[in-house]
Amino acid sequence: TPEAFREGKVTPGLMPWITDPDDRALLMTLHARYVAEVERAASTLGRDGAMLLLHTYAPRSVDVSVDVDIVPNLRRAYTPEVEPTWPLRPEVDVIHRDLEGVPHAPPAALAALRDGLAAVGVAVADGATYPLHPSTLAWDHVRRHAGRTLCIEVRRDLVAAPFSPFEEMVIDPALVERFAGPLAGACAALLE
């Protein structure tokens, strides 16, 4: 539920509708390779290295159960009469507060991001969507590079042309461009 998500619960890494043992094994192998590659890349950072963890998320917080019926439930949730009833997520949200609400974003980078995005008309939220959970890779990076890591969610409809929940989306370089300067400013602040 959205409440449980805000409390720190996260969706399962291996979804319950994946029941074939070969599919599960393949996904676990691919995930392990991905984690190893991320760890390898992160290990190349020097003591003064910094990380920007940049993600996109759907425009609305859709309350559907993550179970074997997720696809029909999502299709119902995104019908024209239902979709607008779901809460709109922040345009940009910095995911940095842990389960106790303690912030982990470097203040200078957060200020640079807020100022830069405000200048192009984009609002930045302060961990409004969900907390930084200890079971995630983001948590590991934020802890390992304390004060030098920024985890950001950007609302996908602000960069996709157009946003369509059930089709492969095209990211529009012109839409992305307005984020480039503010993100660069936040990265520069991470390295100060």
Side-chain angles (χ1 to χ4, degrees), residues 79-95:
T79 58
E81 60 277 4
V82 176
E83 188 263 340
T85 67
W86 302 114
L88 195 60
R89 287 176 164 165
E91 293 176 307
V92 171
D93 198 357
V94 179
I95 309 302

Side-chain angles (χ1 to χ4, degrees), residues 23-87:
D23 290 343
R24 294 175 73 86
L26 173 63
L27 290 172
M28 294 296 288
T29 299
L30 292 173
H31 182 261
R33 281 191 212 158
Y34 165 76
V35 170
E37 185 60 26
V38 169
E39 290 300 320
R40 186 203 59 73
S43 73
T44 65
L45 289 175
R47 290 168 39 106
D48 292 336
M51 296 183 80
L52 173 65
L53 307 174
L54 187 58
H55 307 94
T56 64
Y57 58 9
R60 295 188 181 273
S61 292
V62 178
D63 183 15
V64 296
S65 294
V66 179
D67 60 18
V68 295
D69 294 320
I70 193 168
V71 172
N73 291 339
L74 281 171
R75 290 205 179 275
R76 275 191 297 279
Y78 277 99
T79 58
E81 60 277 4
V82 176
E83 188 263 340
T85 67
W86 302 114

Side-chain angles (χ1 to χ4, degrees), residues 111-136:
L113 181 69
R114 277 195 182 114
D115 293 347
L117 286 173
V120 296
V122 176
V124 176
D126 185 2
T129 311
Y130 49 84
L132 184 61
H133 196 277
S135 70
T136 64

